[in-house]
Amino acid sequence: MNENPIGQPHPRVDGRAKVTGGARYAADFNQPDQTYAVIVGASTGLGRIVEIDDRAARQLPGVLAVLTHLNMPKLAYGSHKGFIDPSYGERLHVMQDDRVRFYGQPVALVVAETQDHAEHAAHLVQIRYRSETPVCDPLDPRAEAIVPQEGREPGPHAADQVRGDPDAALAAAPVSIDAAYDCPRQNHVPIEPNATIAAWDGDQLTLWSKSQFVVNEQAEMAAILGIPAANVRVVCPFIGGAFGTSLRTWPHVTLAAVAAREVGRPVKLVLSRRQTFHTTGHRPRTLQRVALSATADGRLTGIVHEGTAETSRYEQYVEALTAVTPFLYSCPNVRTRYRIAPMDIGTPTYMRGPGEATGVFALECAIDELAHALDMDPLALRRRNEPEIDEGRQLPFSTRSMLACYERGASAFGWARRSHAPGSMRDGRLRIGWGMACATYPVFHGEANARVRLLADGTAQIEAAASDMGPGTYTSITQIAAEALGLPMQAVRFRLGQSDFPPTPPHGGSMTLASVGSAVREACLAVRDQLAKHGGRFDGVLEASATAGPDGQARQRFSMHAFGAVFVEVAIDPDVGTIRVPRVVGAYGAGRIVNPRLAASQCTGGMVGGIGMALMERTALDPRDGRPVNAHMGDYLVPVNLDIGHLETHFVNEVDPHVNALGVKGLGEIALVGVAPAVANAVFHATGKRIRELPIRIEHMIDHG
Ligand code: MOS
């Protein structure tokens, strides 16, 4: 009898391939007779193209084509809204007209025999613009905040919500705070840049393309090109990190496909690091206000949470900015308000806990501010306001292990030894601060399909379109299949990342394990049934497919979220203002943990991302033209090894019978949520300085004057 593989800390089944170079990423799928394409991005932030001189580029040896809006084929751009596309607005129609909507928008494409030739020629394309001054700062008086249009998204999370009378509560309360928070635009900066290799065989298009959603990329490219979806195949077995930037299909994929058709040869198009800051989405800048009121003994009486996020002029990107506020705490009077500010920028997109990361930052900093105003321990304040049910939806939680997370995290961190007063902890010259914050993220679940083949040699092959951008999907799904089939891990092979495999939802929103895992489990159980009918014997191949989706009834009856508590220590040098994070302890209630090793690894990654969000990451725009000025890894700072201290993850035991048959809640996003406010709260505890703008930097720590 095999040990149940679920719950075992199996190493990554794809680990060897990754460390030996055997894993092939999009740009590794070089094709015979391949050519190279380089995008020319607009060097103005708003306006019209009035003249293009591409003679020098065309005359360069090795150049095969220069595409601009003047000679680009008119594309069908049939109606297509993927699960991850904004429901209101229309995607950028790349190089279909003379308008420049944001800095870096593709305005020309050079195709050449080598990457060097293509890059050289791209620099020779001369473009003259009639420029206007773009609006690219939500604080610009010309920026207007509007109510998002109704649609599939934003759904209930973005709609304004109110219960009770929060303004009266705020006015009447003995203690209240009212604060504004500013979270910057950020970019995903995964190691692997967005890349596509496009090849046509007659009317059949193959795209080896970095994608978190290969079936959507297939459907979208078919709609854009006006060809049947059956004629498009998208392949992406490995992803070098993505964090949301490869959920949508950005214009470079279209350009690669069109260029390959124009030159009649395969085209490889890899974005430069700088270009990934222009056209592959970003976390939108957000401005938020949180006002809280409480009784003198720390019972919340009122919460007002208002937020405005940037979007482009051509699409309304919305996210869950204020979504957690109605249910994170018990409070009779709550109002949330969410607005978007259309500006002359590219459309933002999902990034690492989209919405929750920034919304929880504001709310959890505000709770800390209230604790200080009440002269209460911030953890005690949170415990006092623990809700029995989701008071926003008036539904029980499927499970909510927040109190257990407080207990486990606080004990592992040693929170009881915290000295209460800000500025009261020292380590030699260093100011020490201990801060904490809550984390939460919804349990999403999308309908998914899977196929299993049982082979006569006793092994099984599983297929689902899916993706694995690093969380360990290859491994955890293999564990689920091995368990359902009663086979050892090494007898199961899971293949993913092809649009001709059974379709699955986007590899995002922390829903892959719940969604794909459920479908794979069903397919495995189905093939076992077949095997039983055959009396356990078969020749050749036994195959079964299955579809599994969310339990609609359970979703009506329960509020489903993962919860966690994050504890952070900071050490600040008072003379030079450097902020270090020696320790982070996170405790999570995330349902069943299929692989504790990979789950902890994912939380480590989330914490690193959270430290980046707290202390380093910000995409700065030149106000004159909206150009990202730090669009490279020298100046867009992300944590490196030396920035990371001790990171510790705990999972509280949580059995959730309602979320899905596997009992998993998803883990990708929650590991980042809560880290930045815990850092900010620790900085306050260390110094008494309340920094409400991210990232928190040296200049915030040093008093000038
Ligand atoms: Mo995640 S931001 O849904 O890739």
Side-chain angles (χ1 to χ4, degrees):
M1 199 54 212
N2 297 311
E3 191 179 25
N4 182 352
I6 294 185
Q8 299 300 320
H10 285 287
R12 288 174 196 269
V13 297
D14 52 335
R16 177 174 293 271
K18 281 189 164 178
V19 299
T20 56
R24 292 173 87 195
Y25 298 81
D28 294 330
F29 286 89
N30 294 308
Q31 297 301 303
D33 206 27
Q34 171 178 291
T35 66
Y36 297 80
V38 167
I39 290 173
V40 178
S43 58
T44 188
L46 183 67
R48 285 185 187 273
I49 299 167
V50 292
E51 195 186 332
I52 299 175
D53 181 353
D54 60 6
R55 283 170 299 180
R58 285 179 184 281
Q59 280 161 15
L60 203 70
V63 171
L64 300 165
V66 180
L67 293 173
T68 69
H69 73 280
L70 298 174
N71 62 348
M72 176 87 170
K74 289 299 158 214
L75 301 177
Y77 276 102
S79 149
H80 173 82
K81 291 280 184 211
F83 192 92
I84 31 66
D85 292 319
S87 63
Y88 189 79
E90 177 60 28
R91 76 193 68 251
L92 183 78
H93 291 193
V94 64
M95 292 179 7
Q96 299 290 291
D97 61 34
D98 63 351
R99 290 188 55 194
V100 174
R101 294 158 179 83
F102 59 90
Y103 187 95
Q105 175 191 313
V107 288
L109 187 79
V110 175
V111 189
E113 294 286 351
T114 71
Q115 181 75 22
D116 286 346
H117 284 108
E119 280 178 16
H120 186 185
H123 284 286
L124 298 177
V125 178
Q126 300 286 322
I127 302 181
R128 208 156 57 74
Y129 304 94
R130 191 164 61 241
S131 296
E132 299 164 55
T133 306
V135 177
C136 49
D137 181 340
L139 292 171
D140 187 319
R142 292 173 301 158
E144 193 193 348
I146 61 168
V147 180
Q149 299 281 327
E150 291 292 331
R152 172 183 50 72
E153 290 273 15
H157 63 241
D160 295 359
Q161 295 192 35
V162 65
R163 64 175 185 258
D165 187 345
D167 295 302
L170 282 161
V175 182
S176 63
I177 63 106
D178 193 334
Y181 303 89
D182 188 344
C183 293
R185 169 169 166 153
Q186 298 177 329
N187 280 85
H188 306 74
V189 292
I191 291 174
E192 182 195 14
N194 307 69
T196 299
I197 296 175
W200 291 86
D201 180 4
D203 59 1
Q204 300 287 315
L205 171 65
T206 302
L207 298 162
W208 294 269
S209 188
K210 182 180 179 185
S211 172
Q212 294 170 249
F213 198 6
V214 289
V215 290
N216 182 67
E217 188 145 313
Q218 172 195 30
E220 177 167 342
M221 289 311 301
I224 290 174
L225 298 172
I227 60 176
N231 292 14
V232 182
R233 184 161 169 265
V234 180
V235 179
C236 182
F238 287 96
I239 295 177
F243 319 120
T245 185
S246 294
L247 284 165
R248 294 195 75 188
T249 294
W250 301 104
H252 65 275
V253 183
T254 302
L255 290 174
V258 170
R261 199 166 58 186
E262 292 299 301
V263 301
R265 289 166 61 183
V267 165
K268 176 173 183 167
L269 201 175
V270 181
L271 295 191
S272 68
R273 178 61 62 184
R274 184 178 298 279
Q275 288 172 336
T276 65
F277 283 76
H278 297 158
T279 53
T280 64
H282 60 272
R283 190 197 291 288
R285 171 138 176 232
T286 55
L287 303 168
Q288 298 177 75
R289 172 199 172 214
V290 180
L292 303 174
S293 62
T295 60
D297 67 346
R299 281 184 203 287
L300 281 166
T301 58
I303 303 176
V304 171
H305 185 178
E306 300 172 338
T308 302
E310 63 182 24
T311 188
S312 68
R313 295 231 191 254
Y314 53 94
E315 287 176 307
Q316 292 192 354
Y317 170 75
V318 294
E319 61 183 21
L321 186 64
T322 57
V324 313
T325 306
F327 69 81
L328 195 53
Y329 296 105
S330 177
C331 181
N333 306 293
V334 178
R335 187 180 71 236
T336 64
R337 198 180 78 148
Y338 179 65
R339 297 290 179 268
I340 49 173
M343 304 194 302
D344 303 305
I345 58 173
T347 307
T349 198
Y350 303 107
M351 174 171 157
R352 306 183 202 139
E356 281 82 4
T358 37
V360 168
F361 170 74
L363 182 60
E364 286 297 280
C365 286
I367 290 284
D368 200 74
E369 300 204 33
L370 182 68
H372 182 66
L374 288 159
D375 199 25
M376 260 182 94
D377 176 87
L379 179 55
L381 174 63
R382 288 180 173 85
R383 281 192 169 119
R384 184 151 302 168
N385 291 285
E386 176 69 8
E388 297 274 324
I389 61 163
D390 175 339
E391 295 180 5
R393 294 177 66 200
Q394 288 293 310
L395 288 178
F397 293 106
S398 59
T399 46
R400 173 170 166 133
S401 303
M402 192 68 107
L403 291 174
C405 292
Y406 289 152
E407 190 66 42
R408 182 82 171 269
S411 137
F413 186 82
W415 185 259
R417 298 194 307 275
R418 180 180 186 261
S419 142
H420 179 66
S424 62
M425 290 177 81
R426 299 284 163 91
D427 176 6
R429 326 172 19 253
L430 300 177
R431 308 283 159 99
I432 301 300
W434 288 7
M436 56 101 34
C438 292
T440 183
Y441 196 77
V443 182
F444 289 121
H445 189 164
E447 186 177 283
N449 302 272
R451 178 162 58 221
V452 56
R453 269 190 220 103
L454 216 50
L455 309 179
D457 65 2
T459 66
Q461 283 182 4
I462 318 285
E463 290 172 350
S467 304
D468 182 352
M469 62 173 154
T473 304
Y474 272 112
T475 310
S476 53
I477 298 289
T478 303
Q479 287 174 258
I480 286 166
E483 192 270 341
L485 293 167
L487 288 174
M489 286 285 285
Q490 57 278 14
V492 177
R493 175 148 181 253
F494 175 46
R495 300 180 69 205
L496 55 70
Q498 291 192 31
S499 61
D500 46 359
F501 288 164
T504 56
H507 182 48
S510 299
M511 72 174 100
T512 297
L513 192 52
S515 310
V516 181
S518 297
V520 165
R521 182 172 172 276
E522 290 297 320
C524 291
L525 295 178
V527 89
R528 274 188 84 148
D529 278 355
Q530 286 188 27
L531 188 59
K533 277 182 202 133
H534 287 77
R537 284 167 212 288
F538 69 103
D539 300 316
V541 178
L542 202 58
E543 184 173 307
S545 297
T547 302
D551 176 345
Q553 278 195 344
R555 290 190 163 255
Q556 294 294 317
R557 284 170 44 226
F558 295 100
S559 175
M560 299 179 180
H561 307 268
F563 293 95
V566 187
F567 297 82
V568 165
E569 176 174 316
V570 297
I572 298 173
D573 185 317
D575 297 321
V576 292
T578 48
I579 306 167
R580 301 277 176 208
V581 183
R583 293 198 294 146
V584 180
V585 174
Y588 307 95
R592 190 185 200 185
I593 300 302
V594 169
N595 185 320
R597 181 198 303 235
L598 296 184
S601 164
Q602 210 176 353
C603 291
T604 297
M607 288 172 185
V608 172
I611 291 169
M613 178 178 177
L615 300 175
M616 295 171 190
E617 295 186 60
R618 171 181 173 228
T619 307
L621 302 187
D622 188 322
R624 294 169 300 180
D625 56 12
R627 171 171 47 121
V629 294
N630 58 337
H632 50 89
M633 293 190 80
D635 282 339
Y636 186 92
L637 303 182
V638 294
V640 297
N641 278 4
L642 273 175
D643 297 311
I644 299 303
H646 177 73
L647 306 180
E648 190 177 311
T649 297
H650 298 262
F651 297 111
V652 304
N653 193 24
E654 190 176 70
V655 179
D656 191 320
H658 307 297
V659 280
N660 47 63
L662 292 164
V664 303
K665 281 188 168 179
L667 203 52
E669 329 270 338
I670 192 173
L672 180 127
V673 177
V675 176
V679 170
N681 297 339
V683 166
F684 176 76
H685 183 241
T687 62
K689 288 184 212 284
R690 181 64 68 181
I691 310 303
R692 302 183 179 91
E693 174 200 33
L694 293 180
I696 303 173
R697 311 186 282 284
I698 287 172
E699 53 266 40
H700 290 125
M701 295 295 101
I702 302 292
D703 294 313
H704 299 281

